[in-house]
Amino acid sequence: MRHLQLLLLHCILLMAAVPAMAQKSVFVIPIETEIDNSAFHHFRKGLEQAEDADAGLLLIRLNTYGGALDAADSIRTALLRIDIPTVAYVDLNAASAGALIALACDSVYMAPGASMGSATVVNGAGEPMPEKYQSYMSTIMRATAEHHGRVAKGDSMVWRRDPEIAASMVNPEISVSLTGMQAVECGYADGIAPSLEDVLADLNMAGAPVTYYTSTLSDDIMGFLANAAVRAVLVMLILGGIYMEMHTPGLGFAAAVAAVATVLYFLPMFITGTVPAWVLLSFIAGVVLIALEVFVIPGFGFCGVAGIIAVAVALVGVSTANDAVSGFDIGAIARALYVVGAGSILAVGAVWYLTSSHGPECFRRHSELMTELSVADGFVGVDMSPARYVGQTGISTTVLRPAGKIEIGSTVFDAVSCGEFIAANRPVKVQKYENAQLYVTEITDKEHKHNG
């Protein structure tokens, strides 16, 4: 009898525990700004928090007019790979890159009056980009729609989300957009919901605990530093600072700027702990090679070129590690090359401006060694004509201690003794011409008689 009572008690406890186990939390990540690398950084932090919280549902709240395709594609890739069920709630706009993110989610709900679509790729002026860009975006939209597979409809299998509609959102000639009702009718939305609570009720998760992603100050700083434009500026300061330091000895300021920019560029990786060891080794090796070129090896040769290449490779590696969703990501490499390339072009332009006649006087003053000193600009060249007297003999007209004057033929020259002091009226021989001076040695009486 006692065993039967214990068994009944265990059954009651198990039945009571089932709803609690099924009632997992909901994690909400808002995307309500322009979609860029900063937005992707915040989204990735939200994914980490959702996984740490063992959320049973990830809900993306969208109200955006779009943004950068690379950042949107990174978010799309993360949504397609995550194991947690995902839902997009369009409140009120999911345009362009926002439509791609909504399409990547398992389910889509739209607020009354919401719309999604118009995914044509445009430039900064709002004009459609060339056909190859539209074709690539169309392929991404189509592939994302196909990812959701087919469903049974009557006796046939149809696409759950028609890839043709997804592709038509990109077409510059029509650029399809869908209202809430249109999205429901064509299968692009699962329903219209006035609020998040209505979405959860439709998903049988009413009353589930809801957690919202909130960014910290460090997240905001890291998001700012993850922005592609900010990273390109940092690359400009790093490369430009190194170049200026190599050509302006004693300046110091350029090296300080490059050092601070390097710390800011690497900072997101150090905080997240995702910087690969080879990146650090490549950067350190590059700096060492450049230092050898500046302080040890004269001129500019193999060490300088190899050092710059090593630094550039490290900068690409850091940017790739920061953008990659997981593992090897060719898209992240392309974005890293774009950032480093843009920063390099900016560095060339900045160096040219600062060292030109149009730049600030303080930089021109410190970069005098970088400019060409021409006669047309008022500089006087060194007279090398006395070099022809090397090997000839003359007479010291003054005492050379060690400097003095000599006479060759009927011409008097400044001269410097190569050895001991030379008395006046002694025969001398010109040994070399350096630093605008003739260098002479005294001819002994024996040599003088022999020559005579």
Side-chain angles (χ1 to χ4, degrees):
M1 185 68 178
R2 180 174 177 79
H3 291 292
L4 181 59
Q5 291 176 341
L6 290 174
L7 181 60
L8 290 173
L9 179 60
H10 286 158
C11 290
I12 293 172
L13 292 174
L14 182 61
M15 292 174 64
V18 168
M21 293 172 59
Q23 193 76 330
K24 283 196 171 184
S25 64
V26 178
F27 197 91
V28 180
I29 301 178
I31 299 180
E32 299 175 334
T33 60
E34 180 181 356
I35 298 171
D36 54 13
N37 282 335
S38 178
F40 171 54
H41 173 80
H42 286 292
F43 177 81
R44 186 168 56 182
K45 294 293 291 185
L47 286 186
E48 294 174 359
Q49 293 181 16
E51 292 174 346
D52 292 341
D54 194 23
L57 179 70
L58 179 65
L59 194 148
I60 312 300
R61 185 167 188 164
L62 287 166
N63 186 15
T64 177
Y65 290 105
L69 174 58
D70 55 353
D73 187 48
S74 296
I75 296 175
R76 175 196 80 110
T77 303
L79 288 170
L80 294 180
R81 291 177 178 176
I82 195 170
D83 295 329
I84 305 173
T86 56
V87 177
Y89 179 52
V90 182
D91 181 26
L92 291 167
N93 298 289
S96 190
L100 176 62
I101 294 173
L103 186 58
C105 293
D106 299 324
S107 302
V108 178
Y109 287 84
M110 301 182 70
S115 61
M116 64 182 293
S118 296
T120 302
V121 184
V122 297
N123 57 22
E127 301 171 345
M129 295 289 284
E131 175 60 28
K132 66 176 182 179
Y133 295 95
Q134 311 301 340
S135 176
Y136 184 69
M137 180 62 174
S138 178
T139 301
I140 293 177
M141 294 288 288
R142 187 187 295 273
T144 307
E146 292 177 356
H147 174 80
H148 297 287
R150 300 175 185 266
V151 295
K153 187 174 183 180
D155 297 331
S156 61
M157 299 293 290
V158 298
W159 289 108
R160 183 183 174 208
R161 293 177 184 166
D162 190 349
E164 295 300 325
I165 296 177
S168 67
M169 292 182 180
V170 183
N171 190 336
E173 297 180 358
I174 53 177
S175 191
V176 169
S177 293
L178 302 174
T179 65
M181 292 300 298
Q182 290 173 330
V184 171
E185 290 174 0
C186 69
Y188 266 65
D190 298 273
I192 298 176
S195 64
L196 288 180
E197 290 73 15
D198 295 299
V199 173
L200 298 180
D202 194 70
L203 295 171
N204 297 320
M205 295 192 69
V210 178
T211 304
Y212 287 83
Y213 166 73
T214 54
S215 62
T216 62
L217 178 60
S218 62
D219 289 337
D220 294 335
I221 294 175
M222 294 302 101
F224 174 77
L225 294 177
N227 184 275
V230 174
R231 284 188 292 173
V233 172
L234 292 177
V235 170
M236 175 194 73
L237 295 176
I238 293 171
L239 298 181
I242 291 175
Y243 182 85
M244 292 290 289
E245 186 64 25
M246 291 173 62
H247 290 79
T248 52
L251 179 59
F253 177 73
V257 170
V260 172
T262 301
V263 171
L264 294 177
Y265 191 84
F266 279 80
L267 187 59
M269 299 299 94
F270 283 117
I271 291 180
T272 58
T274 58
V275 58
W278 70 265
V279 170
L280 287 177
L281 292 176
S282 178
F283 188 83
I284 293 172
V287 172
V288 170
L289 288 171
I290 292 173
L292 287 174
E293 189 73 30
V294 174
F295 300 109
V296 179
I297 305 174
F300 186 76
F302 173 77
C303 284
V305 174
I308 291 175
I309 293 175
V311 169
V313 169
L315 296 178
V316 172
V318 170
S319 191
T320 301
N322 186 53
D323 286 351
V325 176
S326 62
F328 179 79
D329 190 338
I330 189 67
I333 295 176
R335 292 190 294 273
L337 289 172
Y338 172 80
V339 167
V340 175
S344 300
I345 294 173
L346 290 174
V348 172
V351 169
W352 173 85
Y353 171 74
L354 292 175
T355 58
S356 70
S357 59
H358 305 288
E361 183 180 353
C362 59
F363 284 96
R364 295 202 309 273
R365 183 172 64 251
H366 285 294
S367 60
E368 289 175 351
L369 295 179
M370 301 172 61
T371 59
E372 181 181 352
L373 307 181
S374 63
V375 175
D377 294 329
F379 295 98
V380 179
V382 177
D383 184 12
M384 296 298 295
S385 60
R388 69 178 183 272
Y389 291 104
V390 174
Q392 296 189 25
T393 60
I395 298 293
S396 60
T397 58
T398 66
V399 178
L400 277 70
R401 300 182 179 177
K405 294 184 180 295
I406 65 171
E407 181 178 357
I408 301 177
S410 60
T411 306
V412 178
F413 297 95
D414 292 326
V416 178
S417 172
C418 291
E420 298 178 355
F421 294 166
I422 302 175
N425 299 316
R426 296 294 301 167
V428 294
K429 183 176 181 179
V430 179
Q431 300 295 334
K432 59 183 178 178
Y433 178 69
E434 290 182 357
N435 302 322
Q437 292 281 354
L438 291 173
Y439 288 80
V440 299
T441 56
E442 182 179 358
I443 300 176
T444 61
D445 292 337
K446 183 177 180 181
E447 289 175 332
H448 186 63
K449 291 178 180 180
H450 177 76
N451 292 332

